């Protein structure tokens, strides 16, 4: 379900949604087949035109849907979603066809784009795959051109994150290993 807090993010500022290195959720759809997986290895690649990278292992069903459709979304999940994020990263839809229902993952769509987005996240980037068969096969590395981006205005507005004044539940997750994450911490400023 879409929420009233969702605001569009200009594509030139989309890299800031990933600059702090959050664990993301990768979603994709081909026909009626949809899937979502967790990914720690996602990164901004270029400012304008906005591009991102994500590593999608060959064992994942989500990767198959990305290859079939040519599109994926990266979303930044938050502490309120920690158990779902870990489940989406440990269960494969290849093994558990009802994965999304079992993980209680609700999806919504924005702007007529046929790329499913995960409700309750704090930022979303819809990406079109820039085909690089060598990188995809050899390094499992996918490059996407960001075609639309949104954020939850309670934590991101005017091109900046405002985690310091937000509820703990809205803080981004940063994966370590074995089900352990850090939450984004306090803001500190370097001297100009
Ligand atoms: C926090 C977390 C981060 C992960 N990061 C990645 C990643 O960057 N790339 C990857 O291929 N798999 C990653 N995984 C593993 C996939 O999310 C996992 O294989 C998932 O079950 C695939 O689901 P699917 O087959 O339904 O697509 C991660 C798992 C967790 C828990």
């Amino acid at each position: 379900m879409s929420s009233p807090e969702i605001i569009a993010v200009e594509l030139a500022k989309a890299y800031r949604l990933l600059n702090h290195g959050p664990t993301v959720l990768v979603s994709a759809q081909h026909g009626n087949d949809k899937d979502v997986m967790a990914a720690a290895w996602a990164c901004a690649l270029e400012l304008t035109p906005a591009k991102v990278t994500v590593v999608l292992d060959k064992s994942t069903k989500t990767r198959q849907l990305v290859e079939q459709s040519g599109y994926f979304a990266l979303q930044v999940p938050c502490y309120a979603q920690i158990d779902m994020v870990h489940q989406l990263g440990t269960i494969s839809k290849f093994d558990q066809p009802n994965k999304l229902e079992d993980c209680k993952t609700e999806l919504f769509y924005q702007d007529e784009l046929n790329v499913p987005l995960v409700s309750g996240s704090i930022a979303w980037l819809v990406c079109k795959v820039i085909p690089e068969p060598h990188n995809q096969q050899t390094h499992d590395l996918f490059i996407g051109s960001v075609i639309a981006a949104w954020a939850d205005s309670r934590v991101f507005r005017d091109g900046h994150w405002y985690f310091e004044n937000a509820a703990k539940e809205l803080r981004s997750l940063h994966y370590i290993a074995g089900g352990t994450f850090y939450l984004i911490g306090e803001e500190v400023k370097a001297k100009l």
Side-chain angles (χ1 to χ4, degrees), residues 63-145:
R63 172 185 172 136
Q64 187 185 77
L65 298 179
V66 171
E67 289 174 322
Q68 288 169 331
S69 67
Y71 289 87
F72 62 89
L74 300 183
Q75 38 256 297
V76 180
C78 57
Y79 182 46
Q81 299 167 301
I82 183 169
D83 295 330
M84 180 186 75
V85 171
H86 194 240
Q87 286 174 358
L88 290 170
T90 46
I91 299 168
S92 175
K93 195 176 174 185
F94 280 133
D95 305 322
Q96 207 164 312
N98 294 328
K99 171 180 177 177
L100 296 185
E101 293 81 0
D102 295 346
C103 295
K104 299 189 170 48
T105 305
E106 287 184 23
L107 302 173
F108 69 102
Y109 296 83
Q110 286 276 102
D111 292 1
E112 321 274 313
L113 293 164
N114 200 31
V115 184
L117 306 175
V118 178
S119 300
S121 302
I122 51 175
W124 302 262
L125 301 94
V126 175
C127 306
K128 182 173 170 39
V129 174
I130 299 173
E132 293 283 356
H134 172 76
N135 282 341
Q136 291 166 206
Q137 276 311 309
T138 309
H139 306 295
D140 296 329
L141 178 70
F142 287 72
I143 298 176
S145 172

Side-chain angles (χ1 to χ4, degrees), residues 23 35 37-41 55-57 59-62 86 88-93 99 175 181:
T23 298
D35 199 6
M37 61 175 262
W41 294 353
V55 172
L56 302 174
D57 191 79
S59 65
T60 66
K61 167 82 180 182
T62 306
H86 194 240
L88 290 170
T90 46
I91 299 168
S92 175
K93 195 176 174 185
K99 171 180 177 177
Y175 192 49
F181 296 78

